[in-house]
Coordinates of all heavy atoms in Angstrom, one line a residue:
M1 N 14.2 5.4 -16.0 CA 13.4 4.8 -15.0 C 12.6 3.7 -15.7 O 11.8 3.9 -16.6 CB 12.4 5.9 -14.5 CG 11.5 5.3 -13.3 SD 10.7 6.7 -12.6 CE 9.3 5.8 -11.7
T2 N 12.9 2.5 -15.2 CA 12.3 1.4 -15.8 C 11.2 0.9 -15.0 O 11.3 0.8 -13.8 CB 13.3 0.3 -16.2 OG1 13.9 0.0 -15.0 CG2 14.3 0.8 -17.2
E3 N 10.0 0.4 -15.5 CA 9.0 -0.2 -14.8 C 9.2 -1.7 -14.7 O 9.4 -2.4 -15.6 CB 7.6 0.1 -15.5 CG 7.3 1.5 -15.2 CD 5.8 1.7 -15.7 OE1 5.3 1.0 -16.6 OE2 5.1 2.7 -15.2
Q4 N 9.2 -2.2 -13.4 CA 9.3 -3.6 -13.2 C 8.1 -4.2 -12.8 O 7.7 -4.6 -11.8 CB 10.3 -3.8 -12.0 CG 11.7 -3.3 -12.3 CD 12.5 -4.3 -13.2 OE1 12.3 -5.4 -13.1 NE2 13.4 -3.7 -13.9
H5 N 7.2 -4.3 -13.9 CA 5.9 -5.0 -13.7 C 5.8 -6.1 -14.6 O 5.4 -5.9 -15.8 CB 4.8 -3.9 -13.9 CG 4.8 -2.9 -12.8 ND1 4.7 -3.2 -11.5 CD2 4.8 -1.5 -12.9 CE1 4.7 -2.0 -10.9 NE2 4.7 -1.0 -11.8
P6 N 6.1 -7.3 -14.2 CA 6.0 -8.5 -15.2 C 4.5 -8.7 -15.5 O 3.6 -8.6 -14.7 CB 6.6 -9.6 -14.4 CG 6.4 -9.2 -13.0 CD 6.5 -7.7 -12.9
A7 N 4.2 -9.0 -16.7 CA 2.9 -9.4 -17.2 C 2.4 -10.6 -16.5 O 3.1 -11.5 -16.4 CB 2.8 -9.4 -18.7
R8 N 1.1 -10.6 -16.2 CA 0.6 -11.8 -15.6 C -0.4 -12.5 -16.6 O -1.0 -11.8 -17.4 CB -0.3 -11.4 -14.3 CG 0.4 -10.7 -13.3 CD -0.4 -10.3 -12.1 NE 0.4 -9.6 -11.1 CZ -0.2 -9.2 -9.9 NH1 -1.6 -9.3 -9.7 NH2 0.5 -8.7 -8.9
S9 N -0.6 -13.7 -16.5 CA -1.5 -14.5 -17.4 C -2.9 -14.2 -16.9 O -3.1 -14.1 -15.6 CB -1.2 -15.9 -17.4 OG -1.3 -16.5 -16.0
C10 N -3.8 -14.1 -17.9 CA -5.1 -13.7 -17.6 C -5.9 -15.0 -17.0 O -5.9 -16.0 -17.6 CB -5.9 -13.2 -18.8 SG -7.6 -12.7 -18.4
P11 N -6.5 -14.9 -15.8 CA -7.3 -16.0 -15.4 C -8.7 -16.1 -16.0 O -9.4 -17.2 -15.8 CB -7.6 -15.7 -13.8 CG -7.5 -14.2 -13.8 CD -6.6 -13.8 -14.9
N12 N -9.1 -15.2 -16.8 CA -10.4 -15.2 -17.5 C -10.2 -15.9 -18.8 O -11.1 -16.8 -19.1 CB -10.9 -13.7 -17.6 CG -12.3 -13.7 -18.1 OD1 -13.2 -14.5 -17.6 ND2 -12.6 -12.9 -19.1
C13 N -9.4 -15.6 -19.6 CA -9.4 -16.1 -21.0 C -8.1 -17.1 -21.1 O -8.0 -17.8 -22.1 CB -9.2 -15.0 -22.0 SG -7.7 -14.0 -22.0
H14 N -7.2 -17.0 -20.2 CA -6.0 -17.9 -20.1 C -5.2 -17.7 -21.4 O -4.3 -18.4 -21.5 CB -6.4 -19.3 -20.0 CG -7.2 -19.6 -18.7 ND1 -6.6 -19.7 -17.4 CD2 -8.6 -19.9 -18.5 CE1 -7.5 -19.9 -16.5 NE2 -8.6 -20.0 -17.1
G15 N -5.4 -16.7 -22.2 CA -4.6 -16.6 -23.4 C -4.0 -15.2 -23.4 O -2.9 -15.0 -23.9
G16 N -4.6 -14.3 -22.7 CA -4.1 -12.9 -22.8 C -3.1 -12.7 -21.6 O -2.9 -13.5 -20.8
R17 N -2.6 -11.6 -21.7 CA -1.6 -11.2 -20.5 C -2.1 -9.9 -19.9 O -2.6 -9.0 -20.7 CB -0.2 -11.0 -21.2 CG 0.4 -12.3 -21.6 CD 1.9 -12.2 -21.6 NE 2.4 -13.6 -21.6 CZ 3.6 -14.0 -21.0 NH1 4.2 -13.1 -20.3 NH2 4.1 -15.2 -21.1
K18 N -2.0 -9.8 -18.7 CA -2.5 -8.6 -18.0 C -1.4 -7.7 -17.7 O -0.3 -8.1 -17.3 CB -3.2 -9.1 -16.7 CG -4.2 -10.1 -16.8 CD -5.1 -10.4 -15.7 CE -6.2 -9.4 -15.7 NZ -7.2 -9.6 -14.8
H19 N -1.6 -6.4 -18.0 CA -0.7 -5.4 -17.8 C -1.1 -4.4 -16.7 O -2.3 -4.0 -16.8 CB -0.3 -4.6 -19.1 CG 0.3 -5.6 -20.2 ND1 1.6 -6.0 -20.2 CD2 -0.4 -6.4 -21.1 CE1 1.8 -6.9 -21.2 NE2 0.7 -7.1 -21.7
L20 N -0.3 -3.9 -15.9 CA -0.5 -2.9 -14.9 C -0.7 -1.5 -15.7 O 0.2 -1.0 -16.3 CB 0.5 -2.8 -13.9 CG 0.1 -2.1 -12.5 CD1 -1.0 -2.9 -12.0 CD2 1.4 -2.1 -11.7
R21 N -1.9 -1.0 -15.4 CA -2.2 0.3 -16.1 C -3.2 1.0 -15.2 O -4.0 0.4 -14.5 CB -2.6 0.2 -17.5 CG -3.9 -0.6 -17.7 CD -4.2 -0.8 -19.1 NE -3.2 -1.5 -19.9 CZ -3.2 -1.8 -21.1 NH1 -4.2 -1.4 -21.9 NH2 -2.3 -2.4 -21.8
P22 N -3.1 2.3 -15.2 CA -4.0 3.1 -14.3 C -5.5 3.0 -14.8 O -5.8 3.1 -16.1 CB -3.6 4.5 -14.4 CG -2.8 4.6 -15.7 CD -2.2 3.3 -16.0
A23 N -6.4 2.8 -13.9 CA -7.8 2.8 -14.2 C -8.6 3.4 -13.1 O -8.0 3.8 -12.1 CB -8.3 1.3 -14.4
T24 N -9.8 3.8 -13.5 CA -10.7 4.4 -12.4 C -11.4 3.3 -11.5 O -12.2 2.6 -12.1 CB -11.7 5.4 -13.0 OG1 -11.0 6.3 -13.8 CG2 -12.5 6.1 -12.0
L25 N -11.1 3.4 -10.3 CA -11.7 2.5 -9.4 C -12.9 3.0 -8.9 O -13.0 4.2 -8.4 CB -10.7 2.1 -8.2 CG -11.3 1.2 -7.1 CD1 -11.7 -0.1 -7.5 CD2 -10.4 1.2 -5.9
M26 N -14.0 2.3 -8.9 CA -15.3 2.8 -8.3 C -15.8 1.7 -7.3 O -15.8 0.5 -7.6 CB -16.4 2.8 -9.4 CG -16.1 4.1 -10.3 SD -17.6 4.6 -11.1 CE -17.6 3.4 -12.5
T27 N -15.9 2.2 -6.0 CA -16.2 1.3 -4.9 C -17.2 1.9 -4.0 O -17.3 3.3 -4.0 CB -15.0 0.8 -4.2 OG1 -15.4 -0.1 -3.2 CG2 -14.3 2.1 -3.5
W28 N -18.0 1.2 -3.3 CA -19.0 1.7 -2.5 C -18.5 1.7 -1.0 O -17.9 0.7 -0.6 CB -20.3 0.9 -2.5 CG -21.1 1.0 -3.7 CD1 -21.1 0.3 -4.9 CD2 -22.1 2.1 -4.0 NE1 -22.0 0.9 -5.8 CE2 -22.6 1.9 -5.2 CE3 -22.6 3.2 -3.2 CZ2 -23.6 2.7 -5.9 CZ3 -23.6 4.0 -3.8 CH2 -24.0 3.8 -5.1
L29 N -18.6 2.9 -0.5 CA -18.2 3.0 1.0 C -19.5 3.3 1.8 O -19.9 4.5 1.8 CB -17.2 4.0 1.2 CG -16.7 4.2 2.6 CD1 -16.0 3.0 3.2 CD2 -15.8 5.4 2.7
G30 N -20.2 2.2 2.2 CA -21.5 2.5 2.7 C -22.4 2.9 1.8 O -22.8 2.1 0.8
D31 N -23.0 4.1 1.7 CA -24.0 4.6 0.7 C -23.3 5.5 -0.3 O -23.9 6.1 -1.1 CB -25.1 5.3 1.4 CG -26.0 4.4 2.3 OD1 -26.1 3.2 1.9 OD2 -26.7 4.8 3.2
E32 N -22.0 5.7 -0.1 CA -21.3 6.7 -1.0 C -20.5 5.9 -2.0 O -19.8 5.0 -1.7 CB -20.4 7.5 -0.1 CG -21.1 8.7 0.6 CD -20.2 9.6 1.2 OE1 -19.6 10.5 0.5 OE2 -20.0 9.7 2.5
L33 N -20.7 6.4 -3.3 CA -19.8 5.8 -4.2 C -18.6 6.5 -4.4 O -18.6 7.9 -4.6 CB -20.6 5.8 -5.7 CG -19.9 5.3 -6.9 CD1 -19.6 3.7 -6.6 CD2 -20.7 5.5 -8.1
I34 N -17.5 5.9 -4.3 CA -16.2 6.5 -4.3 C -15.5 6.2 -5.6 O -15.5 5.0 -6.0 CB -15.3 6.2 -3.1 CG1 -16.0 6.6 -1.8 CG2 -14.0 6.6 -3.3 CD1 -15.2 6.2 -0.6
T35 N -15.0 7.2 -6.2 CA -14.2 6.9 -7.5 C -12.7 7.2 -7.2 O -12.5 8.4 -6.7 CB -14.7 7.7 -8.6 OG1 -14.7 9.0 -8.3 CG2 -16.1 7.2 -9.0
V36 N -11.8 6.5 -7.5 CA -10.4 6.6 -7.4 C -9.7 6.7 -8.7 O -9.6 5.6 -9.3 CB -9.8 5.6 -6.4 CG1 -8.3 5.8 -6.1 CG2 -10.6 5.5 -5.1
P37 N -9.4 7.8 -9.3 CA -8.7 7.8 -10.6 C -7.4 7.4 -10.5 O -6.6 7.4 -9.4 CB -8.8 9.3 -10.9 CG -8.8 10.1 -9.6 CD -9.6 9.2 -8.6
D38 N -6.8 6.8 -11.6 CA -5.5 6.3 -11.8 C -5.2 5.3 -10.8 O -4.1 5.3 -10.1 CB -4.5 7.6 -11.7 CG -4.7 8.6 -12.8 OD1 -5.0 8.2 -13.9 OD2 -4.5 9.8 -12.6
F39 N -6.1 4.4 -10.5 CA -5.8 3.3 -9.6 C -5.1 2.2 -10.4 O -5.6 1.9 -11.5 CB -7.2 2.8 -9.0 CG -6.9 2.0 -7.8 CD1 -6.8 2.6 -6.5 CD2 -7.1 0.6 -7.9 CE1 -6.6 1.9 -5.3 CE2 -6.8 -0.2 -6.8 CZ -6.6 0.5 -5.5
P40 N -4.1 1.6 -9.8 CA -3.4 0.6 -10.5 C -4.3 -0.7 -10.7 O -4.8 -1.3 -9.8 CB -2.2 0.2 -9.7 CG -2.5 0.8 -8.2 CD -3.4 1.9 -8.5
A41 N -4.4 -1.1 -11.9 CA -5.3 -2.1 -12.3 C -4.6 -3.1 -13.3 O -3.8 -2.6 -14.1 CB -6.6 -1.7 -12.8
W42 N -4.9 -4.3 -13.2 CA -4.3 -5.3 -14.2 C -5.3 -5.5 -15.3 O -6.5 -6.0 -15.0 CB -3.9 -6.6 -13.6 CG -2.8 -6.5 -12.6 CD1 -2.9 -6.1 -11.2 CD2 -1.3 -6.6 -12.9 NE1 -1.6 -6.0 -10.7 CE2 -0.7 -6.4 -11.6 CE3 -0.7 -7.0 -14.0 CZ2 0.7 -6.4 -11.6 CZ3 0.7 -7.0 -13.9 CH2 1.4 -6.7 -12.7
V43 N -5.0 -5.1 -16.5 CA -5.9 -5.1 -17.6 C -5.5 -6.1 -18.6 O -4.2 -6.1 -19.1 CB -6.2 -3.7 -18.1 CG1 -7.2 -3.9 -19.3 CG2 -6.7 -2.8 -17.2
C44 N -6.3 -7.1 -19.1 CA -5.9 -8.1 -20.1 C -5.9 -7.5 -21.4 O -6.8 -6.7 -21.8 CB -6.8 -9.3 -20.0 SG -6.5 -10.6 -21.3
D45 N -4.9 -7.8 -22.1 CA -4.7 -7.2 -23.5 C -5.5 -7.9 -24.5 O -5.7 -7.6 -25.7 CB -3.2 -7.1 -24.0 CG -2.6 -8.4 -23.9 OD1 -3.2 -9.4 -23.6 OD2 -1.4 -8.5 -24.2
L46 N -6.1 -9.1 -24.1 CA -6.9 -9.8 -25.0 C -8.4 -9.9 -24.8 O -9.2 -9.4 -25.7 CB -6.5 -11.3 -24.9 CG -7.0 -12.3 -26.0 CD1 -6.4 -11.8 -27.3 CD2 -6.7 -13.8 -25.7
C47 N -8.9 -10.0 -23.6 CA -10.4 -10.0 -23.3 C -10.7 -8.7 -22.6 O -11.9 -8.4 -22.3 CB -10.8 -11.2 -22.5 SG -10.1 -11.3 -20.9
G48 N -9.7 -7.9 -22.1 CA -10.0 -6.7 -21.3 C -10.5 -7.0 -19.8 O -10.9 -6.1 -19.2
H49 N -10.3 -8.2 -19.4 CA -10.6 -8.5 -18.0 C -9.7 -7.6 -17.1 O -8.5 -7.5 -17.3 CB -10.3 -10.0 -17.7 CG -10.7 -10.5 -16.3 ND1 -9.7 -10.6 -15.3 CD2 -11.9 -10.8 -15.8 CE1 -10.3 -11.0 -14.2 NE2 -11.7 -11.1 -14.6
R50 N -10.4 -7.1 -16.1 CA -9.6 -6.1 -15.2 C -9.7 -6.5 -13.7 O -10.8 -6.9 -13.2 CB -10.3 -4.7 -15.3 CG -9.7 -3.6 -14.5 CD -10.5 -2.4 -14.6 NE -10.7 -1.9 -15.8 CZ -11.3 -0.7 -16.1 NH1 -12.0 -0.1 -15.0 NH2 -11.5 -0.2 -17.3
T51 N -8.6 -6.6 -13.1 CA -8.5 -6.8 -11.7 C -7.6 -5.7 -11.1 O -6.6 -5.3 -11.6 CB -8.0 -8.2 -11.3 OG1 -6.7 -8.3 -12.0 CG2 -8.9 -9.3 -11.7
Y52 N -8.0 -5.2 -10.0 CA -7.3 -4.1 -9.4 C -6.2 -4.8 -8.5 O -6.3 -5.9 -8.1 CB -8.2 -3.3 -8.5 CG -9.2 -2.6 -9.2 CD1 -10.6 -3.0 -9.3 CD2 -9.0 -1.5 -10.0 CE1 -11.5 -2.4 -10.0 CE2 -9.9 -0.8 -10.7 CZ -11.2 -1.2 -10.8 OH -12.1 -0.7 -11.5
D53 N -5.1 -4.0 -8.5 CA -3.9 -4.5 -7.8 C -4.2 -4.7 -6.3 O -4.8 -3.9 -5.6 CB -2.8 -3.4 -7.9 CG -1.5 -3.9 -7.4 OD1 -1.0 -4.9 -7.9 OD2 -0.9 -3.4 -6.5
G54 N -3.8 -5.9 -5.8 CA -4.2 -6.3 -4.5 C -3.6 -5.4 -3.4 O -4.2 -5.0 -2.4
E55 N -2.4 -5.1 -3.6 CA -1.7 -4.3 -2.7 C -2.3 -2.9 -2.5 O -2.4 -2.3 -1.5 CB -0.2 -4.2 -2.9 CG 0.6 -5.4 -2.7 CD 2.1 -5.3 -2.9 OE1 2.5 -4.2 -2.8 OE2 2.8 -6.3 -3.1
A56 N -2.6 -2.3 -3.7 CA -3.2 -1.0 -3.8 C -4.6 -1.0 -3.1 O -4.9 -0.1 -2.5 CB -3.2 -0.5 -5.2
L57 N -5.3 -2.1 -3.3 CA -6.6 -2.2 -2.7 C -6.4 -2.3 -1.2 O -7.3 -1.7 -0.5 CB -7.3 -3.4 -3.3 CG -8.0 -3.3 -4.5 CD1 -8.6 -4.7 -5.0 CD2 -9.2 -2.4 -4.5
A58 N -5.5 -3.1 -0.8 CA -5.2 -3.2 0.7 C -4.9 -1.8 1.4 O -5.4 -1.5 2.4 CB -4.2 -4.2 0.9
Q59 N -4.1 -1.1 0.6 CA -3.7 0.3 1.0 C -5.0 1.2 1.0 O -5.2 2.0 1.9 CB -2.7 0.9 0.1 CG -1.3 0.2 0.4 CD -0.3 0.9 -0.4 OE1 -0.5 1.7 -1.2 NE2 1.1 0.6 -0.1
L60 N -5.8 1.0 0.1 CA -7.0 1.9 -0.1 C -8.0 1.6 1.1 O -8.6 2.5 1.8 CB -7.7 1.6 -1.4 CG -8.9 2.5 -1.7 CD1 -8.7 4.0 -1.8 CD2 -9.8 2.0 -2.8
S61 N -8.2 0.2 1.3 CA -9.1 -0.1 2.4 C -8.5 0.4 3.7 O -9.4 0.7 4.6 CB -9.3 -1.6 2.4 OG -8.1 -2.3 2.7
M62 N -7.2 0.4 3.9 CA -6.7 1.0 5.1 C -6.9 2.4 5.2 O -7.2 3.0 6.3 CB -5.2 0.7 5.1 CG -4.8 -0.6 5.9 SD -3.1 -1.1 5.7 CE -2.3 0.5 5.9
L63 N -6.9 3.1 4.1 CA -7.1 4.6 4.1 C -8.6 4.9 4.4 O -9.0 5.8 5.1 CB -6.8 5.2 2.7 CG -5.2 5.3 2.5 CD1 -5.0 5.7 1.0 CD2 -4.6 6.2 3.5
L64 N -9.5 4.0 3.9 CA -11.0 4.2 4.0 C -11.4 3.7 5.4 O -12.5 4.3 5.9 CB -11.7 3.5 2.9 CG -11.4 4.0 1.5 CD1 -12.2 3.2 0.5 CD2 -11.8 5.4 1.4
N65 N -10.8 2.9 6.0 CA -11.2 2.4 7.3 C -10.5 3.3 8.4 O -9.3 3.1 8.6 CB -10.8 0.9 7.5 CG -11.4 0.4 8.8 OD1 -12.1 1.1 9.6 ND2 -11.4 -0.9 8.9
P66 N -11.3 4.1 9.2 CA -10.6 5.0 10.0 C -10.0 4.2 11.2 O -9.0 4.7 11.8 CB -11.8 5.9 10.6 CG -13.0 5.1 10.3 CD -12.7 4.3 9.1
E67 N -10.5 3.1 11.5 CA -10.0 2.2 12.6 C -8.6 1.6 12.2 O -7.8 1.2 13.2 CB -10.9 1.2 13.1 CG -12.2 1.8 13.7 CD -13.1 0.7 14.1 OE1 -12.7 -0.4 14.2 OE2 -14.2 1.1 14.6
A68 N -8.4 1.5 10.9 CA -7.1 0.8 10.5 C -6.0 1.8 10.7 O -4.9 1.4 10.6 CB -7.3 0.4 9.1
G69 N -6.3 3.1 10.8 CA -5.2 4.0 10.8 C -4.6 4.3 12.2 O -4.0 5.3 12.4
T70 N -5.1 3.4 13.2 CA -4.6 3.8 14.5 C -3.1 3.4 14.6 O -2.7 2.4 14.3 CB -5.3 2.7 15.5 OG1 -6.7 2.9 15.3 CG2 -5.0 3.1 16.9
P71 N -2.4 4.6 15.0 CA -0.9 4.3 15.1 C -0.6 3.4 16.2 O -1.2 3.4 17.3 CB -0.5 5.8 15.3 CG -1.7 6.4 16.0 CD -2.9 5.8 15.4
I72 N 0.4 2.6 15.9 CA 0.9 1.7 17.0 C 2.0 2.3 17.7 O 3.0 2.7 17.1 CB 1.3 0.3 16.3 CG1 0.1 -0.2 15.6 CG2 1.9 -0.7 17.3 CD1 0.5 -1.4 14.7
Q73 N 1.8 2.4 19.0 CA 3.0 3.1 19.7 C 4.0 2.0 20.1 O 3.7 0.9 20.6 CB 2.4 3.6 21.0 CG 1.3 4.8 20.9 CD 2.0 6.0 20.4 OE1 3.2 6.2 20.6 NE2 1.1 6.9 19.7
P74 N 5.2 2.2 19.6 CA 6.2 1.2 20.0 C 6.5 1.3 21.5 O 6.5 2.3 22.0 CB 7.4 1.7 19.2 CG 7.1 3.2 18.9 CD 5.7 3.3 18.9
M75 N 6.7 0.0 22.0 CA 7.0 0.0 23.3 C 8.5 0.2 23.7 O 9.2 -0.8 23.9 CB 6.5 -1.3 23.9 CG 5.1 -1.6 23.8 SD 4.1 -0.5 24.9 CE 4.5 -1.3 26.5
T76 N 8.8 1.5 23.6 CA 10.2 1.8 23.8 C 10.3 2.4 25.3 O 9.6 3.4 25.5 CB 10.8 2.7 22.8 OG1 9.9 3.8 22.6 CG2 10.9 2.0 21.4
P77 N 11.2 1.9 26.1 CA 11.3 2.5 27.4 C 11.9 3.9 27.3 O 12.7 4.2 26.3 CB 12.3 1.5 28.1 CG 12.9 0.9 27.0 CD 12.1 0.8 25.9
P78 N 11.6 4.8 28.2 CA 12.3 6.1 28.1 C 13.9 5.9 28.3 O 14.3 5.1 29.0 CB 11.7 6.9 29.4 CG 11.2 5.8 30.2 CD 10.8 4.6 29.3
P79 N 14.5 6.8 27.6 CA 16.0 6.6 27.8 C 16.6 7.0 29.1 O 16.0 7.8 29.8 CB 16.5 7.7 26.7 CG 15.4 8.7 26.6 CD 14.1 7.9 26.8
E80 N 17.4 6.1 29.6 CA 17.9 6.3 30.9 C 18.8 7.4 30.9 O 19.7 7.6 30.0 CB 18.6 5.0 31.3 CG 17.8 3.7 31.5 CD 18.6 2.5 32.0 OE1 19.6 2.8 32.5 OE2 18.1 1.4 31.7
K81 N 18.7 8.1 32.0 CA 19.6 9.3 32.1 C 21.0 8.9 32.7 O 21.1 8.3 33.8 CB 18.9 10.3 33.1 CG 17.8 11.0 32.4 CD 17.2 12.2 33.3 CE 16.1 13.0 32.6 NZ 15.4 14.0 33.5
T82 N 21.8 9.1 31.8 CA 23.2 8.7 32.3 C 23.9 10.0 32.9 O 23.9 11.1 32.3 CB 24.1 8.2 31.2 OG1 24.0 9.2 30.1 CG2 23.5 6.9 30.7
P83 N 24.3 9.9 34.2 CA 25.1 11.0 34.7 C 26.2 11.4 33.9 O 26.9 10.6 33.4 CB 25.4 10.6 36.2 CG 25.5 9.1 36.0 CD 24.4 8.7 35.0
P84 N 26.5 12.7 33.8 CA 27.6 13.1 33.0 C 28.9 12.7 33.8 O 29.0 12.6 35.0 CB 27.5 14.7 33.2 CG 26.7 15.0 34.2 CD 25.8 13.8 34.4
A85 N 29.8 12.2 32.9 CA 31.0 11.7 33.4 C 31.8 12.8 34.1 O 32.1 13.9 33.5 CB 31.9 11.1 32.4
T86 N 32.0 12.6 35.4 CA 32.8 13.6 36.2 C 34.3 13.3 36.2 O 34.5 12.0 36.5 CB 32.2 13.7 37.6 OG1 32.1 12.5 38.1 CG2 30.8 14.2 37.5
T87 N 35.0 14.1 36.0 CA 36.4 13.9 36.0 C 36.9 14.2 37.4 O 36.8 15.2 37.9 CB 37.2 14.8 35.0 OG1 36.9 16.1 35.3 CG2 36.9 14.4 33.5
Q88 N 37.3 13.1 38.1 CA 37.7 13.1 39.4 C 39.2 13.4 39.5 O 40.0 12.6 38.9 CB 37.4 11.9 40.3 CG 35.8 11.8 40.4 CD 35.5 10.6 41.3 OE1 36.3 9.8 41.6 NE2 34.3 10.5 41.5
P89 N 39.6 14.4 40.1 CA 41.1 14.7 40.2 C 41.7 13.6 41.0 O 41.2 13.3 42.1 CB 41.1 16.1 40.8 CG 39.8 16.3 41.6 CD 38.8 15.5 40.8
S90 N 42.7 13.1 40.6 CA 43.4 12.1 41.3 C 44.2 12.7 42.3 O 45.0 13.6 42.0 CB 44.3 11.2 40.3 OG 45.1 12.1 39.6
A91 N 44.0 12.2 43.5 CA 44.8 12.8 44.7 C 46.2 12.2 44.7 O 46.5 11.0 44.5 CB 44.1 12.4 46.0
Q92 N 47.0 13.1 44.7 CA 48.5 12.7 44.7 C 49.2 12.9 46.0 O 49.1 13.9 46.6 CB 49.2 13.4 43.6 CG 48.8 13.0 42.3 CD 49.7 13.6 41.2 OE1 50.4 14.6 41.4 NE2 49.6 13.1 39.9
Ligands
ZN1 ZN1 -8.0 -12.2 -20.7

């Protein structure tokens, strides 16, 4: 199993490279401090600058926002009832 996470250049020091590694995310949800262990974060190997993974953050905000979890009902029409094929005896 190989990890396909290309290193990113650091926007802070412009010299280091950021690698994806698990970190503990701490964020405020209203008055509550939420800690998320093993959250994917990009950490610079030179200056230690840390940014959390954008996609993971988006997923987290979706999880934390109850309104975001509203399921979307697909507009699929009910299946039409097809009458069973009746074999009509051919009159001879
Ligand atoms: Zn850096």
